[in-house]
Amino acid sequence: MEYSTSRLAFIFLAIVCKAHITKSQYLSCNSNDLMALNGFRKCVASPVDGWGANLDSECCSWAGVTCDNSTVTQRRVIGLDLHGRGLAMEICESLADLDQLSTLNLSHNNLHGFLPDKLFQMQNLEVLDLSGNKFVGSFPLHIHLPRIRIFDVSDNNLVGSLTSTICDRSLSIESLNFAENRFHGEVPGNFGNCTSLQRLFLNGNSLSGSLPERLFQLEHLRELQFQDNGFSGLLHERIDNLSNVVKIDLSNNLFSGVLPDVFGGLRKLEHFAAKSNKFSGQLPPSLMSSPSLSTLNLNNNTLDGCISINCSSMARLTSLNLRSNLFQGALPENLSTCHRLNVLSLAQNHLSGVIPSSFQNLQALTLLSLSRTKISDLSSALHILQRCRNLSVLVLSESFRDEEMLGHADLLFPNLKAFAIGNSQLKGSIPVWLRGCKNLRLLDLSWNQLSGSIPVWIGDFRFLFYLGLGNNSFTGDIPKSLSELPSCINSSRSFPPAGSPSNVPLLLGRGQGRFLTYNQFWNLPSTLDLSYNKLNGPIWPSFENLKGLQAFYLDNNELSGNIPNSLSGMQSLEKVNLSHNGLTGEIPASFQKLTFLSAFDASYNKLSGAVPLGGQFSTFPDSSFEGNIGLCGSSRPSLRSCQSQAKPPSDELPNDEASTDGTPYSQMAFGIGAAVGFIWTVSLCFLSGWVLDKGQRRR
Ligand SMILES: *[C@@H]1O[C@H](CO)[C@@H](O)[C@H](O)[C@H]1NC(C)=O
Ligand SMILES: *[C@@H]1O[C@H](CO)[C@@H](O)[C@H](O)[C@H]1NC(C)=O
Ligand SMILES: *[C@@H]1O[C@H](CO)[C@@H](O)[C@H](O)[C@H]1NC(C)=O
Ligand SMILES: *[C@@H]1O[C@H](CO)[C@@H](O)[C@H](O)[C@H]1NC(C)=O
Ligand SMILES: *[C@@H]1O[C@H](CO)[C@@H](O)[C@H](O)[C@H]1NC(C)=O
Ligand SMILES: *[C@@H]1O[C@H](CO)[C@@H](O)[C@H](O)[C@H]1NC(C)=O
Ligand SMILES: *[C@@H]1O[C@H](CO)[C@@H](O)[C@H](O)[C@H]1NC(C)=O
Ligand SMILES: *[C@@H]1O[C@H](CO)[C@@H](O)[C@H](O)[C@H]1NC(C)=O
Ligand SMILES: *[C@@H]1O[C@H](CO)[C@@H](O)[C@H](O)[C@H]1NC(C)=O
Ligand SMILES: *[C@@H]1O[C@H](CO)[C@@H](O)[C@H](O)[C@H]1NC(C)=O
Ligand SMILES: *[C@@H]1O[C@H](CO)[C@@H](O)[C@H](O)[C@H]1NC(C)=O
């Protein structure tokens, strides 16, 4: 209290007098520390924001500097937090002269160069965070940080082995983070000397070999992140020693052999992930009856046998991903007693039979993926699953082969947001019951043999942003209502709430029959795919409404009429395919305005006139225009060349006149288009997806 009052008074005085005060009874920091800080800032190209003048001894009030309260005249710097300040420099050794420093946080800057050895000899340092920089070089062999608790060098460009003395004399170390660097070699056995260790992050390196047995003696370990390395060998049975461990991630390594049946000892384990390894054999009973386990991900291994699970003891299980293994037999009946199960993926296994009727008890289920299995009886499956009232993502592609889509069944999926059942050779028509799925955002029925017309009511789905109907036998006009899809009009999507699963496998027609795995598949571009059908009639000019649509596939139909000039109002378009139809007239010059357009194909129609030159058009290959007798193009060898004055420059694009052949304009437009497109894609990836709350904008 007295201190802060004096401090206020001091600041007041300082302002009033505008005096240059070099010494203050209350605020002066230790001269040694001042020298160290000034030494540090000499390395910085630009001044450090919030730091006083060089001679100013009030370093305790500088931004990010914390001093202790020990003595009045000689306050010591004990903390330096300069995270996220855009510092671009090498760190000077002088920082290590802050001999009372206990916390150093320089994370998320642009620091580069080598790590000075002296930094790793600081006697009082407890927290060292250098993460998120561009440090290079190898990790120092000799580390003597006797008081260190938290050590973080993650997300840099460090190389070499992890061999070091860090654990030998640091008895209080709790957290070691080496993630996202380029370390290689094995994990040194002396990590076992870090007896207080709780968290070890090695993910995202090139580490190899097996895990040292001594690691499993660390009884305080709570979190082990080893994913994305080249670790191999068996998973050691001594892992059962880790009775405090809560989270283990071994994903994307080369571990092999059977999973040891020792999970009974891991009494606090909540999250176990070992996806994309080479584990084989059966599921260990102790794992499949773990009372603490909440999420289990064994996706993409070669596990086999039946899926045997004891839900009476696995009371906390919320997410089970066993996708892409060699499991066989029927879907386990007793899975239905896992009452908290929220996410279930059993796709890409040799499972057969039908969905047990007890699955209707999975009332917490929001995501179910059973694609690429031999499961059959779609009719009973849908009747059972509609009782799972919370089901919001249902992926059944490449299962239920050759069955009939239930056209007129009385089904209700009020919460369904995504429904995919592609490549199943389904017959029948678009089922009427889908109309009740008012929350649909994504509908994929592509690669089937569905026929009949596309119902008008599809345009009523308020949230639909992805419609995949490609490669079926639909006939008739494109319903005009599709040009009124609200979610494609406003480029805003109403995203499902957060807390949703990762790694949802979808089969989408445009993916050429491959499974596309999207961590957050709500990131898919807004798409209308009607390709490979038998649709006829015109492309409605009103499609210009769809200002948020990114991909528009109409190829391989029997469409006729002109390409409406108004389509250039679809300002988000990135991909357009109109090939193999009977379209006539010209390619509208206004399409040059579509700056995001990266693929355009109008081949094999009856188009005429000149191929536009500006905008993105200079980047499209000749093959996008071939097979149109009437089309001509300047500087397009495979097309007939146009009469040079055949077409006046478009008055919509004044820039076109400035450049005689359109090249500078088009290159610039392409450059801007590409740059904007790139930024836009990157931001999309970060911004959108499950994590977004309702109503947030895509841009
Ligand atoms: C110094 O003292 C003030 C007021 O008593 C207190 O709020 C602050 O946390 C102390 N700082 C340190 C580093 O001990
Ligand atoms: C360093 O600062 C960042 C930003 O405040 C923070 O997220 C991080 O936890 C800090 N590091 C440590 C080890 O406390
Ligand atoms: C650290 O571990 C190594 C081998 O892993 C061992 O030889 C050494 O004695 C240990 N050092 C201490 C101080 O415990
Ligand atoms: C862990 O293993 C070590 C030796 O390998 C043993 O001394 C220790 O008692 C074990 N701890 C537990 C909790 O089982
Ligand atoms: C599956 O795991 C293998 C390595 O075992 C990896 O090469 C492959 O990319 C993984 N596939 C998927 C879809 O994750
Ligand atoms: C699961 O149910 C089957 C019968 O359907 C039974 O034989 C088996 O023991 C059950 N498994 C577990 C772990 O409860
Ligand atoms: C399943 O777990 C319960 C509770 O732990 C146990 O009583 C039962 O015997 C187990 N069932 C099987 C088939 O292992
Ligand atoms: C179903 O979803 C609602 C709303 O998200 C939630 O409140 C309810 O708990 C869920 N039901 C179950 C059984 O988890
Ligand atoms: C259409 O789907 C069938 C399977 O139903 C597939 O074999 C074929 O390759 C697909 N054709 C196109 C062009 O995607
Ligand atoms: C589009 O968004 C605007 C406001 O951003 C809103 O007024 C309008 O109702 C929305 N249109 C539709 C069809 O959702
Ligand atoms: C358009 O679709 C056709 C098949 O109908 C395909 O061959 C062509 O590659 C597609 N064009 C683009 C640009 O993707």
Side-chain angles (χ1 to χ4, degrees):
M1 196 59 202
E2 191 187 329
Y3 160 71
S4 51
T5 317
S6 345
R7 184 185 155 120
L8 272 180
F10 173 82
I11 292 168
F12 180 68
L13 264 179
I15 292 167
V16 169
C17 309
K18 295 198 166 118
H20 186 72
I21 295 169
T22 52
K23 280 208 170 114
S24 152
Q25 275 274 308
Y26 301 100
L27 295 170
S28 67
C29 68
N30 175 282
S31 56
N32 169 67
D33 294 349
L34 181 62
M35 208 166 12
L37 289 174
N38 278 329
F40 169 75
R41 80 153 128 200
K42 279 199 193 108
C43 313
V44 197
S46 51
V48 184
D49 273 352
W51 281 24
N54 250 348
L55 295 171
D56 190 341
S57 65
E58 292 171 51
C59 74
C60 291
S61 63
W62 292 358
V65 176
T66 309
C67 292
D68 66 5
N69 291 342
S70 57
T71 56
V72 179
T73 50
Q74 289 280 286
R75 300 181 63 204
R76 302 303 308 261
V77 173
I78 56 166
L80 184 58
D81 181 352
L82 296 175
H83 78 268
R85 289 169 152 261
L87 302 177
M89 58 195 251
E90 303 192 8
I91 342 186
C92 295
E93 284 206 332
S94 76
L95 209 51
D97 295 336
L98 293 169
D99 53 37
Q100 296 298 310
L101 199 66
S102 77
T103 301
L104 178 58
N105 191 340
L106 299 175
S107 63
H108 300 286
N109 282 294
N110 244 324
L111 301 170
H112 50 86
F114 296 93
L115 293 166
D117 283 345
K118 273 175 77 184
L119 213 54
F120 299 99
Q121 309 292 331
M122 297 176 75
Q123 299 305 296
N124 288 300
L125 204 60
E126 293 175 29
V127 174
L128 177 61
D129 189 346
L130 302 174
S131 63
N133 284 291
K134 299 199 169 77
F135 289 117
V136 295
S138 56
F139 187 62
L141 182 59
H142 294 291
I143 295 188
H144 185 43
L145 297 167
R147 296 189 161 201
I148 196 82
R149 285 188 299 108
I150 298 174
F151 183 93
D152 189 346
V153 291
S154 63
D155 199 4
N156 278 289
N157 296 320
L158 301 173
V159 295
S161 87
L162 287 178
T163 307
S164 101
T165 56
I166 186 163
C167 284
D168 294 347
R169 281 179 283 178
S170 314
L171 298 178
S172 42
I173 199 153
E174 290 162 13
S175 176
L176 269 180
N177 194 339
F178 297 102
E180 307 296 340
N181 280 287
R182 299 192 209 144
F183 291 118
H184 59 80
E186 302 200 2
V187 179
N190 68 347
F191 274 25
N193 292 353
C194 273
T195 48
S196 304
L197 199 63
Q198 294 177 18
R199 287 180 298 278
L200 180 56
F201 302 89
L202 302 176
N203 49 298
N205 284 289
S206 304
L207 298 166
S208 55
S210 51
L211 301 176
E213 195 178 337
R214 295 197 52 207
L215 221 47
F216 303 119
Q217 288 170 14
L218 298 174
E219 54 186 343
H220 299 293
L221 273 181
R222 293 172 52 81
E223 188 170 354
L224 291 174
Q225 306 244 28
F226 292 171
Q227 68 271 28
D228 306 316
N229 279 291
F231 292 121
S232 58
L234 303 174
L235 183 58
H236 210 284
E237 289 195 357
R238 292 319 305 257
I239 198 170
D240 72 337
N241 213 337
L242 302 178
S243 54
N244 285 302
V245 85
V246 172
K247 177 170 183 175
I248 300 178
D249 195 339
L250 307 174
S251 300
N252 300 315
N253 280 292
L254 301 165
F255 287 109
S256 57
V258 294
L259 287 164
D261 190 13
V262 296
F263 287 86
L266 303 175
R267 289 186 298 279
K268 294 187 180 160
L269 187 65
E270 290 173 21
H271 308 284
F272 184 68
K275 76 165 186 195
S276 297
N277 278 285
K278 302 189 179 309
F279 287 116
S280 55
Q282 306 210 349
L283 291 168
S286 59
L287 181 61
M288 301 313 283
S289 60
S290 161
S292 55
L293 204 63
S294 160
T295 68
L296 176 60
N297 188 346
L298 298 174
N299 172 13
N300 194 20
N301 281 283
T302 50
L303 299 164
D304 58 25
C306 289
I307 297 173
S308 177
I309 179 166
N310 187 347
C311 290
S312 352
S313 65
M314 274 193 119
R316 288 160 165 253
L317 190 67
T318 59
S319 172
L320 178 62
N321 187 346
L322 301 179
R323 179 164 77 92
S324 196
N325 277 287
L326 304 170
F327 293 114
Q328 27 177 304
L331 289 173
E333 183 93 31
N334 26 24
L335 197 58
S336 62
T337 54
C338 281
H339 290 298
R340 290 168 77 167
L341 201 58
N342 189 243
V343 172
L344 177 60
S345 175
L346 303 176
Q348 273 177 290
N349 278 293
H350 300 316
L351 298 169
S352 53
V354 301
I355 293 186
S357 62
S358 58
F359 269 40
Q360 67 189 5
N361 299 327
L362 291 171
Q363 286 299 308
L365 201 62
T366 62
L367 182 147
L368 176 64
S369 171
L370 293 175
S371 45
R372 202 169 280 184
T373 65
K374 299 198 177 79
I375 293 169
S376 57
D377 201 347
L378 183 60
S379 166
S380 104
L382 293 175
H383 277 99
I384 291 161
L385 295 174
Q386 68 168 335
R387 303 240 162 83
C388 305
R389 303 309 279 190
N390 278 8
L391 197 58
S392 90
V393 177
L394 182 56
V395 185
L396 302 176
S397 301
E398 289 196 30
S399 293
F400 305 98
R401 282 175 192 278
D402 296 315
E403 295 193 21
E404 188 85 17
M405 184 55 114
L406 297 82
H408 297 283
D410 197 9
L411 292 166
L412 190 59
F413 286 88
N415 287 312
L416 206 58
K417 297 190 173 79
F419 181 48
I421 180 161
N423 201 12
S424 303
Q425 266 72 264
L426 295 179
K427 296 174 189 63
S429 55
I430 295 186
V432 180
W433 58 264
L434 267 181
R435 193 174 182 175
C437 303
K438 302 235 182 280
N439 280 303
L440 270 186
R441 280 126 169 100
L442 179 149
L443 177 61
D444 181 25
L445 303 175
S446 53
W447 288 45
N448 283 301
Q449 293 166 22
L450 300 173
S451 54
S453 56
I454 299 174
V456 171
W457 47 257
I458 290 206
D460 296 341
F461 289 125
R462 275 193 61 206
F463 304 110
L464 198 69
F465 74 90
Y466 188 105
L467 179 63
L469 300 178
N471 199 358
N472 278 287
S473 300
F474 294 118
T475 49
D477 280 3
I478 300 173
K480 230 178 199 167
S481 63
L482 289 187
S483 66
E484 277 141 33
L485 277 170
S487 269
C488 300
I489 291 180
N490 272 1
S491 50
S492 63
R493 294 182 199 166
S494 167
F495 289 101
S500 298
S502 57
N503 277 327
V504 181
L506 271 183
L507 178 96
L508 297 164
R510 221 59 205 187
Q512 311 306 317
R514 280 176 293 121
F515 269 81
L516 303 181
T517 300
Y518 287 94
N519 274 355
Q520 302 169 330
F521 72 66
W522 307 115
N523 288 349
L524 284 169
S526 172
T527 298
L528 267 186
D529 181 1
L530 308 178
S531 62
Y532 286 96
N533 278 293
K534 296 174 181 157
L535 300 168
N536 51 33
I539 302 174
W540 304 111
S542 53
F543 274 111
E544 81 170 305
N545 292 337
L546 304 186
K547 305 215 180 302
L549 195 72
Q550 289 160 293
F552 197 23
Y553 301 124
L554 299 175
D555 52 285
N556 284 280
N557 279 291
E558 291 154 21
L559 302 172
S560 54
N562 290 344
I563 303 175
N565 189 40
S566 62
L567 296 196
S568 60
M570 301 170 80
Q571 58 200 29
S572 304
L573 278 182
E574 291 167 19
K575 297 188 173 170
V576 176
N577 200 335
L578 306 173
S579 70
H580 294 277
N581 278 293
L583 300 169
T584 50
E586 299 193 358
I587 299 175
S590 58
F591 273 39
Q592 296 171 101
K593 288 196 298 195
L594 294 170
T595 43
F596 293 117
L597 204 58
S598 64
F600 178 85
D601 196 336
S603 60
Y604 298 97
N605 278 290
K606 297 171 185 159
L607 299 167
S608 54
V611 171
L613 290 169
Q616 297 288 84
F617 275 82
S618 63
T619 67
F620 304 142
D622 288 6
S623 59
S624 289
F625 308 100
E626 68 191 12
N628 288 284
I629 301 284
L631 272 188
C632 67
S634 314
S635 63
R636 288 199 178 269
S638 72
L639 297 189
R640 176 171 68 79
S641 99
C642 304
Q643 234 77 345
S644 48
Q645 65 280 66
K647 193 163 161 39
S650 159
D651 41 10
E652 279 170 288
L653 292 162
N655 278 349
D656 230 3
E657 283 165 359
S659 58
T660 43
D661 61 355
T663 316
Y665 169 73
S666 59
Q667 278 173 358
M668 188 182 76
F670 173 65
I672 295 170
V676 172
F678 174 76
I679 292 166
W680 144 245
T681 310
V682 169
S683 352
L684 235 189
C685 294
F686 279 100
L687 287 177
S688 54
W690 295 90
V691 285
L692 280 199
D693 289 325
K694 280 191 169 210
Q696 274 190 264
R697 306 285 133 163
R698 278 193 296 145
R699 54 186 163 137

